[in-house]
């Protein structure tokens, strides 16, 4: 029987040709090495998950029956590796007891290796038993594994983002929102995958009936690998450094944190320190001649803002001032000059500050000037009357 490379095999093979170079690029990345190598391993595992369908549609199993139980598809490794990637990205370490977390996937791999090595007559009989008994067990284990690991990953990302807003000026730059989207996609996808396998066990769907599912797996793998490669060299601050903020000493004279916060806000704005895209709480504290604990308290208690909101508010104020001064440069240029690292983070911060998009604000400014006045807008420093407008 000859091999036939139809559209099904071609689509999965095309995904493989994209994913393999991405894996190599991630594995050779010098920054975020642990996270990127973990993602490279995850990408290879995902290729393995849909490889049986790639070669199956081409007729490999019909021509070479001994390929049954070929040990390449180990979906139980995916939840653990995805969790490892999230943890390594934000902490530069693997989670505690990470070896134990690999046991289900390694057990699945060992089962496939042993089954693959069986003599052909015994393998045929064992395949019928395995499909009836082992496949449902592995499917249920996959659902449970994803539930545990994805919940832990989401908690880790929330903890990381909560720490980011108090330390870095552009938290959206490191919030890894694409990773949340990937986690959600994989959680939904693998729940569907396990459910379909159980359904297929009860009422066989046929080989072609499952093709759509493996195309979805390949698409999710492409999204995760491409986004991971795009952010491979981003200088993600580690969670331990974000949470390493000293406490304010209990002794000493009481301070008016509102006044202190207003004074430091004024210095920050006049000096233009917010225009540094890499500004963080430690850098600003050093520039102000204080420490991170006092600065954080002045912002949180005195101004009612976290560090990211404070810095992005000043940056938005700088853009608003340029728009009100009829600066005709495009808004993205103004945003980059003000210290924003990306258009997405600027748009999000500007809308939160003014209630409008930048283009809407520019239009309102022009209309207001035609009537001899500027529009009433929410301003990032509305609570800081001591900051001069000039």
């Amino acid at each position: 029987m000859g091999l036939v490379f139809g559209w099904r095999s071609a689509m999965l093979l095309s995904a493989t040709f994209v994913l393999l170079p991405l894996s190599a690029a991630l594995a050779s990345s010098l920054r975020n090495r642990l996270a990127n190598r973990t993602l490279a391993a995850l990408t290879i595992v995902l290729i393995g998950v849909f490889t049986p369908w790639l070669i199956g549609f081409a007729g490999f199993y019909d021509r070479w029956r001994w390929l049954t139980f070929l040990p390449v598809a180990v979906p139980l490794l995916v939840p653990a590796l995805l969790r490892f990637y999230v943890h390594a990205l934000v902490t530069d370490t693997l989670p505690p007891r990470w070896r134990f977390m690999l046991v289900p996937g390694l057990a699945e791999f060992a089962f496939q290796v042993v089954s693959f090595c069986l003599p052909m007559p015994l393998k045929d009989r064992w395949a019928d038993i395995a499909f009836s008994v082992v496949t449902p067990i592995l499917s249920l284990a996959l659902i449970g594994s994803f539930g545990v690991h994805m919940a832990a990953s989401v908690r880790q990302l929330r903890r990381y983002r909560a720490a980011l807003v108090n330390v870095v000026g552009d938290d959206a730059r490191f919030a890894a929102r694409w990773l949340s989207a990937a986690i959600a996609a994989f959680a939904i996808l693998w729940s569907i995958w396990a459910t379909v396998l159980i359904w297929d066990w009860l009422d066989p769907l046929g080989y072609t009936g499952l093709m759509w599912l493996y195309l979805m797996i390949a698409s999710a793998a492409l999204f995760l690998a491409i986004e991971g490669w795009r952010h491979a060299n981003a200088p993600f601050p580690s969670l331990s450094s974000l949470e390493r903020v000293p406490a304010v000493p209990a002794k000493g004279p009481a301070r008016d944190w509102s006044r202190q916060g207003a004074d430091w806000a004024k210095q920050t704005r006049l000096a233009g320190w917010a225009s540094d895209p890499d500004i963080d709480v430690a850098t600003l504290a050093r520039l102000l001649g204080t420490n991170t604990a006092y600065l954080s308290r002045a912002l949180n208690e005195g101004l009612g803002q976290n560090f990211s909101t404070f810095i992005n508010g000043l940056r938005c104020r700088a853009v608003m001032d340029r728009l009100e001064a009829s600066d005709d440069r495009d808004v993205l240029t103004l945003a980059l000059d003000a210290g924003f690292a990306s258009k997405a983070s600027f748009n999000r911060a500007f809308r939160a500050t003014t209630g409008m998009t930048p283009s809407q604000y520019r239009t309102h400014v022009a209309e207001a000037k035609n009537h001899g006045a500027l529009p009433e807008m929410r301003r990032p420093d509305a609570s800081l009357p001591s900051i001069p407008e000039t």
Side-chain angles (χ1 to χ4, degrees):
M1 184 177 292
L3 301 179
V4 180
F5 284 91
W7 66 270
R8 295 180 177 88
S9 295
M11 292 185 72
L12 293 175
L13 191 60
S14 298
T16 303
F17 283 155
V18 175
L19 290 169
L20 284 175
L22 285 173
S23 316
L26 287 165
S28 60
S29 177
L30 296 179
R31 178 170 276 180
N32 304 317
R33 294 184 68 180
L34 180 59
N36 289 329
R37 289 181 177 182
T38 303
L39 181 55
L42 174 57
T43 303
I44 296 298
V45 170
L46 287 168
I47 293 173
V49 168
F50 60 76
T51 292
W53 262 252
L54 190 162
I55 64 176
F57 283 119
F60 279 64
Y61 289 106
D62 295 325
R63 185 167 183 177
W64 298 293
R65 290 177 55 210
W66 55 269
L67 287 173
T68 303
F69 290 112
L70 182 68
V72 293
V74 193
L76 271 174
L77 283 175
V78 174
L81 287 175
L82 189 51
R83 179 178 178 179
F84 292 177
Y85 176 57
V86 173
H87 199 279
L89 195 66
V90 302
T91 68
D92 200 30
T93 63
L94 293 177
R97 304 180 67 190
W98 62 270
R99 293 180 179 84
F100 176 77
M101 297 176 190
L102 291 174
V103 169
L106 295 178
E108 183 180 27
F109 178 71
F111 162 76
Q112 293 179 1
V113 170
V114 172
S115 300
F116 180 72
C117 293
L118 293 174
M120 201 61 222
L122 181 57
K123 183 185 290 190
D124 285 338
R125 294 195 297 271
W126 175 236
D128 293 335
I129 297 173
F131 178 77
S132 301
V133 178
V134 180
T135 298
I137 294 174
L138 293 177
S139 300
L140 291 173
L142 186 63
I143 295 175
S145 180
F146 252 99
V148 171
H149 290 301
M150 294 308 95
S153 298
V154 170
R155 287 195 301 270
Q156 186 83 333
L157 280 175
R158 286 177 177 172
R159 179 182 168 191
Y160 184 67
R161 289 166 183 161
L164 272 176
V165 298
N166 291 314
V167 177
V168 300
D170 191 356
D171 61 299
R173 181 182 176 189
F174 307 108
R177 299 184 189 281
W178 56 272
L179 190 50
S180 293
I183 290 173
F186 273 98
I188 295 171
L189 178 59
W190 250 262
S191 297
I192 296 173
W193 187 87
T195 303
V196 168
L197 284 186
I198 295 175
W199 184 0
D200 187 49
W201 171 64
L202 297 172
D203 184 15
L205 298 171
Y207 208 68
T208 58
L210 293 172
M211 177 61 188
W212 62 272
L213 181 62
Y214 286 87
L215 285 177
M216 290 175 63
I217 293 172
S219 299
L222 283 168
F223 172 77
L224 180 60
I226 291 172
E227 287 297 319
W229 176 73
R230 286 183 60 235
H231 297 86
N233 292 315
F236 289 94
S238 68
L239 183 61
S240 59
S241 66
L242 294 175
E243 295 180 335
R244 197 183 301 124
V245 178
V248 176
K251 296 181 179 180
R255 292 200 181 194
D256 182 346
W257 292 112
S258 297
R259 183 177 182 82
Q260 182 68 83
D263 289 344
W264 283 340
K266 177 180 177 180
Q267 291 182 55
T268 302
R269 182 172 180 241
L270 293 178
W273 291 326
S275 63
D276 177 2
D278 296 320
I279 192 76
D280 58 20
V281 69
T283 301
L284 183 58
R286 185 172 63 254
L287 292 170
L288 290 169
T290 185
N291 60 48
T292 56
Y294 281 116
L295 177 57
S296 296
R297 189 164 182 182
L299 297 179
N300 296 331
E301 295 184 23
L303 304 184
Q305 299 177 335
N306 58 50
F307 183 76
S308 178
T309 301
F310 168 70
I311 290 295
N312 285 332
L314 292 179
R315 289 169 175 168
C316 288
R317 173 63 182 273
V319 174
M320 293 160 68
D321 287 344
R322 298 314 308 160
L323 292 175
E324 292 168 8
S326 300
D327 193 320
D328 59 359
R329 290 179 295 170
D330 64 271
V331 174
L332 180 57
T333 299
L334 298 178
L336 295 177
D337 286 348
F340 285 100
S342 70
K343 183 178 180 180
S345 59
F346 165 62
N347 287 338
R348 189 180 299 111
F350 196 88
R351 180 179 284 276
T353 299
T354 67
M356 292 185 173
T357 65
S359 58
Q360 288 173 333
Y361 188 83
R362 173 171 262 166
T363 300
H364 275 256
V365 167
E367 292 175 351
K369 284 189 174 182
N370 290 335
H371 293 85
L374 285 178
E376 291 293 328
M377 298 290 173
R378 278 189 288 153
R379 302 300 292 264
D381 55 0
S383 61
L384 309 177
S386 61
I387 298 181
E389 292 292 329
T390 59

